[in-house]
Amino acid sequence: MTSVVQLNPPSWARTDDLDRIRPPLDSSLVQAIGIDIGGTKIAGALVDDDGRILRSERRPTPAGDATAIVDDTVAIVRSLAGEGAIPPVGVVVPGFLDADREQVYYAPNISFREVPLRALLVERLPGVAITIDNDANAAGWAEHRYGVGRGAGDMVLLTIGTGVGGAVVVDDRLLRGGFGVAGEIGHMRLVPDGLPCGCGQRGCVEQYGSGRALLRVAGEIADAGGIGVALAAARQADGALDATNVGRLLVEQDPGALAALRRLGERLGETCASIGAVLDPRLFVFGGGVAAAGELLLEPIRESFRAHVPARGFHPEPEFVIAELVNDAGVVGAADLARTLGL
Ligand SMILES: [Zn+2]
């Protein structure tokens, strides 16, 4: 477990933010179970109120079979709880939920369509406090409570994985919106009439700022020759550009791979400038696989933010940092959402 308690106030924290870091609501609720249902695996953990993982378990996701997913989720919960009473359970999914957090409208990777997930779980786990939420919300919440966003009352998390996920914390609360689907940063329109997106629209941030976009841009640079020569050679040798060979070229500081990452960062910085105009966060946190690039990604993001922010040159600059909890953010956040009901 990588949870780190920061002893000194982070630079972006306001003093009143620090005063508002909440203790657990009820000292009897010190443990909770977090379940993160992903496209390939269901991860579960028993988590204490310091964000530490006490026990964990995972199974492959029976994607496409909602009943089997619920069965496996219940089995993991029972296994993690052991012989004792089952503590509060938070279950998160990669999809859109309704405002009451009862139903999953749409989760493309696990084939959930209008699944009344909370009711299905309550039926199988009677008497247990169950909360469901979006996986990016849980990751953002985990960073806010236990990770790099601890002490930042206003922060935005962008997860740069295959797609782009988002979570928004305003005044120490997750922003859910009027219909429950706020924070879908990946589907903000960045390019009018741009590339088609899985959501049915065009020009979404996800098409320009995701891991998939990085590979597409790397392919374009390979096609153009010049600095793309090593990318072209890797594509030739491996049959395709993927996270592994592009990642290796980034580590080797190949100019073509660096240029592709820079292009991604520029688009993300532009996105953050727009987000800043509405939400004015003090902190932007980047998670997901591509965030492993660290400063190589953050540097173009900062430059592009400066170039695109309204009142350029006269706007205080937020911090741009890499997420801290990475692999555990989903389960840790899910557990804490169950414990605090996502206040
Ligand atoms: Zn979209």
Side-chain angles (χ1 to χ4, degrees), residues 186-188 196-207:
H187 300 288
M188 284 171 58
C197 181
C199 72
Q201 297 298 339
R202 284 181 169 271
C204 293
V205 167
E206 185 159 289
Q207 300 308 316

Side-chain angles (χ1 to χ4, degrees), residues 26-46:
D26 177 341
S27 59
S28 69
L29 302 180
V30 289
Q31 292 180 0
I33 289 175
I35 305 280
D36 185 356
I37 303 176
T40 56
K41 66 176 188 302
I42 303 175
L46 181 69

